[in-house]
Amino acid sequence: MTDGTRTYWDTRHRERDDLASGGHIGLDRPGNEIFYAQRLGELLTLIGDLSSPVAPLFVLDAGCGKGHFARALVRCGHRVDAFDTSTEAISHARAEGGGPRYALASLDEWRSPWLYDVVLCVDVLFHVLDDAEWSAGLRNLASLVRITGRLIVTDEDTHEPTPRGDYILHRPTDAYRRELEPLGLSHTLFRPYGFRENRVGFHVFTRIR
């Protein structure tokens, strides 16, 4: 990650509230409340029924921002590790508490002594503009998923690279498949957010070997 990108995110997390900083900067507070609630509902539909009170899921929230989803998943009974590259975001998340274990790291740096049932990366990868950095981060996240576990990343379901503004590059679904299928993960589902004009959704990859 470049210094300019890191500065952008630290500034955004410092100057915007807990939802807009990691949500949709074009929405007002009520709009972002709905946006977060809708995404969380879809996430729980995808992973919530895999847990039980006596066997909670181990979840990694990669690029967690200020920890909104991480805290919600802990409230649902999951055990959550979470990290972000922004010191501002992690400082806020730690101050909020709520159960997740927070750390400062980039997507390609995170290491863990255990594998996860679910690795999440929500609205992060399409902000990584450099292809080599994107690939390294995605492959590292894939290495953290246990057999039959899921890697859930968000992007558009598109056939060609689509830049939007200065900090967004949506990559084709086939680009994700090319990176992940040789690593033993199969693309099993795409579920769009279904929120207003937003074309982004959840790509679910399941480790089959």
Side-chain angles (χ1 to χ4, degrees):
M1 176 177 289
T2 66
D3 289 341
T5 301
R6 198 180 303 275
T7 298
Y8 168 81
W9 284 106
D10 274 340
T11 301
R12 179 165 162 171
H13 284 298
R14 182 171 57 252
E15 295 182 352
R16 297 184 179 270
D17 68 27
D18 57 323
L19 297 185
S21 61
H24 194 311
I25 60 175
L27 297 176
D28 58 12
R29 178 78 185 194
N32 265 312
E33 290 278 7
I34 297 168
F35 187 39
Y36 269 90
Q38 188 156 348
R39 286 181 295 169
L40 178 60
E42 292 293 343
L43 273 176
L44 293 177
T45 298
L46 292 172
I47 69 172
D49 61 348
L50 299 179
S51 66
S52 75
V54 296
L57 292 180
F58 284 85
V59 179
L60 175 65
D61 185 356
C64 64
K66 291 178 177 176
H68 183 92
F69 291 128
R71 289 189 295 275
L73 291 169
V74 167
R75 291 195 299 272
C76 292
H78 304 304
R79 295 183 182 178
V80 181
D81 289 338
F83 70 86
D84 199 276
T85 190
S86 168
T87 55
E88 292 285 341
I90 291 300
S91 293
H92 179 96
R94 285 173 172 163
E96 289 288 326
R101 294 177 291 189
Y102 293 108
L104 187 67
S106 61
L107 296 179
D108 62 336
E109 291 175 339
W110 179 257
R111 301 292 184 268
S112 172
W114 50 76
L115 299 178
Y116 296 92
D117 299 293
V118 179
V119 174
L120 304 174
C121 192
V122 179
D123 291 1
V124 176
L125 285 163
F126 55 73
H127 289 297
V128 181
L129 304 185
D130 181 80
D131 286 337
E133 183 182 351
W134 171 83
S135 175
L138 183 61
R139 292 171 69 87
N140 184 52
L141 296 183
S143 74
L144 299 166
V145 181
R146 69 166 178 82
I147 293 292
T148 73
R150 297 180 180 185
L151 170 63
I152 302 176
V153 300
T154 64
D155 209 326
E156 294 186 358
D157 186 19
T158 183
H159 298 293
E160 58 185 7
T162 307
R164 301 188 192 280
D166 295 331
Y167 283 98
I168 293 177
L169 175 60
H170 296 293
R171 290 178 173 85
T173 303
D174 281 347
Y176 285 89
R177 288 194 177 102
R178 285 194 297 270
E179 293 290 337
L180 295 174
E181 287 179 353
L183 303 179
L185 287 96
S186 175
H187 189 255
T188 51
L189 179 68
F190 174 73
R191 179 168 292 168
Y193 291 164
F195 179 78
R196 300 184 183 178
E197 79 289 351
N198 200 306
R199 299 179 182 178
V200 176
F202 296 100
H203 288 279
V204 180
F205 290 85
T206 303
R207 179 170 291 284
I208 58 176
R209 57 177 172 82

